[in-house]
Amino acid sequence: MRIAAHTLGCKLNSAETSAIVGEFRMHDWEITQSAENANVFLLNTCSVTNNAEKECRQIIRRILRKNPNAFIAVTGCYAQLRPEEIASIEGVDVVLGAKEKFNLFSHVHSFEKLPAPKIFSSPIDEATEFHLAATSDTDERTRAFLKVQDGCDYTCSFCTIPMARGESRSAEIEYILSEAKRLSSDGFREIILSGVNVGDFGKKVGTSFYDLVKAIEDDEEITARIRISSIEPNLLSNEIIELVSASKKFCPHFHIPLQSGSPKILKLMQRRYTAEFYQSRIERIKELIPNAGIGVDVIVGFPGESDQDFLDSYNFISDLDISYLHVFTYSERPDTKADLMSQRILIEKRKERNSMLRILSEKKRQEFYRKQKGQIVNVLLESGIKTDVQSSGIREGYSENYVRVGIDLNSISQNAELARVQLGEAAGEFVHADLLQTLTYRSDLSLLPILQ
């Protein structure tokens, strides 16, 4: 019996897909990349944008055209929020909500096509258990995303995640440490601590995210370098910033959602910080870690965002000492407060603002790259070979502070996984670098002191 799976949305979803597929593996199923040859096709969905929901429908229809006898199981955020909509898609056999997705075999006993779809979905307030999950971002097994937290207790007016994933919850620190050690011993070079709201880690059991990162920092058996995924600015404490600044393990890279630099829009979004506080977080990071990479999430076209509000946000972001932006165009989500707000922004206006911020993002990235010239950094290499404008092969990868680096293929061995380099000139999407040293699988990471 063979199962194929596909994930929509975030890396947290990918980690959970791996955990669900792992249950099939324990039942002696074969994992296949080809949905055409699979007995079961699992689709883990997202609900952050309308496009994700449309893509869900398109994928199911495409799979069934190629493999009409495949048993189709659908789970994820969209499945929790709109199970009846998914069940109405022709060919779907089972829909699993947030509580049920990690217990598929207790709900499904025969993976034969059903005459009518079945829905297994509980009210979201019953989704209170935490399920540990981890996955590689590629087949290369170089970077792993480790789920340390799930759910969210925030009430941002544009977001459906609390309705799709439930309350904030996490595992005990000892279990996270055990999994991080396993990933390190398996040869993963980098572990990204992931979650819906990672900064909320441990609050219901009397610990904190700082307690977790301190425990990881102190555990000598965890040899991979550690990266923190997106963290809310109000939860990024001075303690965490100071720990990263002195760490030999944690990458000097933060991804901090802003969503808007307009005080008016931040209030409408029901965010838990002010623009001034956000600026203070950026300044504190740069004070302690001048070379830190800092990414920022921004939403454009939120209801009521006037031209002046957008300009205020644009200018605020332009003045921040950051490295890049992730720009999202606001889309209406049913059952959110924002969906009931008046003064909706024209789609054309939203696209125009998105384009302006993407251009600003590229300027920020190039400025950050130029400032890194001459720095000595460690690069986690990818196996793929690309061709630059001079038609010479290069190996690419990311430094600790999230600089995209390109190294001349002729100067590096094919089996190298880590490279210590000196950064040179920026060239489009990456920075050229001169090789100083390489390490291969299971080499001693301590030989490459982390960028300070």
Side-chain angles (χ1 to χ4, degrees):
M1 299 289 283
R2 295 179 296 276
I3 178 175
H6 185 77
T7 305
L8 297 174
C10 62
K11 295 298 185 181
L12 178 60
N13 261 13
S14 296
E16 292 183 339
T17 298
S18 292
I20 298 169
V21 169
E23 188 178 8
F24 281 85
R25 186 180 286 109
M26 288 190 293
H27 284 79
D28 296 324
W29 282 58
E30 178 185 340
I31 314 304
T32 177
Q33 300 299 317
S34 173
E36 297 181 35
N37 301 318
N39 303 91
V40 170
F41 179 75
L42 172 71
L43 179 59
N44 194 358
T45 63
C46 172
S47 68
V48 172
T49 68
N50 282 322
N51 286 337
E53 295 180 5
K54 292 176 183 177
E55 190 175 1
C56 169
R57 293 176 176 272
Q58 292 169 354
I59 288 171
I60 291 171
R61 290 165 181 160
R62 185 169 66 246
I63 295 301
L64 288 173
R65 281 197 298 269
K66 298 178 179 179
N67 186 357
N69 295 318
F71 184 95
I72 306 293
V74 184
T75 189
C77 293
Y78 182 23
Q80 175 66 35
L81 292 172
R82 298 284 183 269
E84 292 82 8
E85 288 184 15
I86 293 177
S88 70
I89 302 174
E90 185 177 354
V92 170
D93 294 287
V94 64
V95 182
L96 299 153
K99 180 182 177 182
E100 292 76 19
K101 62 186 172 184
F102 292 106
N103 303 297
L104 193 152
F105 278 83
S106 66
H107 297 292
V108 181
H109 305 292
S110 173
F111 292 92
E112 299 292 334
K113 293 295 291 181
L114 298 175
K118 292 184 177 180
I119 296 175
F120 301 99
S121 183
S122 305
I124 195 58
D125 58 6
E126 294 183 18
T128 57
E129 293 185 9
F130 178 83
H131 296 269
L132 200 62
T135 187
S136 169
D137 62 338
T138 68
D139 293 333
E140 301 167 35
R141 296 179 66 82
T142 53
R143 298 199 309 165
F145 291 83
L146 175 58
K147 175 185 170 185
V148 302
Q149 185 273 341
D150 198 357
C152 187
D153 296 338
Y154 286 12
T155 56
C156 299
S157 61
F158 56 84
C159 187
T160 60
I161 296 299
M163 294 177 276
R165 286 188 167 271
E167 65 178 19
S168 179
R169 55 202 185 275
S170 51
E172 299 288 343
I173 289 177
E174 61 192 78
Y175 294 113
I176 303 297
L177 294 179
S178 177
E179 185 68 2
K181 283 186 274 194
R182 181 189 70 79
L183 292 169
S184 290
S185 65
D186 282 351
F188 284 98
R189 291 302 197 174
E190 180 175 302
I191 299 171
I192 299 96
L193 305 182
S194 305
V196 175
N197 189 353
V198 296
D200 242 6
F201 176 91
K203 73 174 186 180
K204 289 186 171 66
V205 291
T207 58
S208 68
F209 188 58
Y210 172 78
D211 294 331
L212 174 64
V213 298
K214 182 67 166 62
I216 292 173
E217 174 73 12
D218 293 342
D219 194 318
E220 295 182 357
E221 292 183 56
I222 301 174
T223 56
R225 72 186 191 186
I226 309 296
R227 196 180 298 275
I228 299 171
S229 68
S230 179
I231 182 170
E232 293 288 310
N234 52 300
L235 298 175
L236 180 56
S237 65
N238 285 330
E239 284 182 312
I240 295 172
I241 297 171
E242 290 164 5
L243 183 147
V244 173
S245 73
S247 176
K248 302 298 183 184
K249 190 177 296 184
F250 276 84
C251 294
H253 169 223
F254 298 90
H255 194 93
I256 314 169
L258 170 63
Q259 311 307 7
S260 177
S262 161
K264 168 192 160 185
I265 299 301
L266 280 178
K267 287 182 180 179
L268 288 174
M269 289 178 167
Q270 296 184 185
R271 301 292 286 167
R272 298 192 176 194
Y273 51 85
T274 64
E276 290 75 19
F277 178 82
Y278 189 96
Q279 182 178 356
S280 74
R281 294 296 79 196
I282 303 300
E283 291 173 348
R284 183 58 176 160
I285 291 169
K286 286 297 186 174
E287 178 185 350
L288 294 180
I289 321 171
N291 289 308
I294 302 176
V296 178
D297 287 340
V298 189
I299 297 173
V300 297
F302 189 82
E305 185 186 61
S306 67
D307 289 342
Q308 186 58 53
D309 295 328
F310 174 72
L311 185 60
D312 290 343
S313 184
Y314 183 97
N315 290 334
F316 177 79
I317 296 167
S318 181
D319 290 339
L320 290 175
D321 190 1
I322 59 172
S323 311
Y324 62 91
L325 301 173
H326 282 173
V327 186
F328 301 89
T329 300
Y330 172 79
S331 60
E332 285 72 18
R333 312 306 300 142
D335 302 321
T336 61
K337 291 182 180 179
D339 192 40
L340 303 176
M341 293 179 182
S342 58
Q343 296 181 299
R344 292 191 178 185
I345 309 304
L346 293 174
I347 297 298
E348 293 76 11
K349 181 71 72 173
R350 300 182 203 184
K351 291 180 179 179
E352 177 185 326
R353 292 173 180 174
N354 183 297
S355 178
M356 289 177 66
L357 280 181
R358 288 181 182 274
I359 293 171
L360 177 61
S361 176
E362 188 56 29
K363 290 179 179 178
K364 287 287 187 182
R365 188 190 303 274
Q366 292 302 316
E367 180 182 1
F368 177 62
Y369 282 1
R370 285 193 294 272
K371 290 180 179 178
Q372 299 307 303
K373 184 177 180 180
Q375 293 291 329
I376 294 175
V377 300
N378 308 314
V379 179
L380 187 63
L381 295 165
E382 299 167 358
S383 63
I385 298 172
K386 296 187 179 181
T387 304
D388 68 11
V389 291
Q390 283 79 37
S391 299
S392 60
I394 57 172
R395 286 280 300 277
E396 292 191 44
Y398 281 101
S399 68
E400 316 99 300
N401 60 340
Y402 215 62
V403 172
R404 185 77 174 164
V405 177
I407 305 169
D408 189 329
L409 190 64
N410 295 324
S411 68
I412 192 166
S413 63
Q414 189 172 0
N415 65 341
E417 292 183 325
L418 277 167
R420 190 160 177 81
V421 303
Q422 185 168 35
L423 298 178
E425 298 290 342
E429 295 181 357
F430 63 89
V431 174
H432 280 295
D434 294 324
L435 181 67
L436 302 178
Q437 179 187 3
T438 61
L439 291 179
T440 56
Y441 184 67
R442 294 186 183 279
S443 297
D444 185 3
L445 275 173
S446 66
L447 294 176
L448 295 181
I450 207 160
L451 170 73
Q452 294 298 305

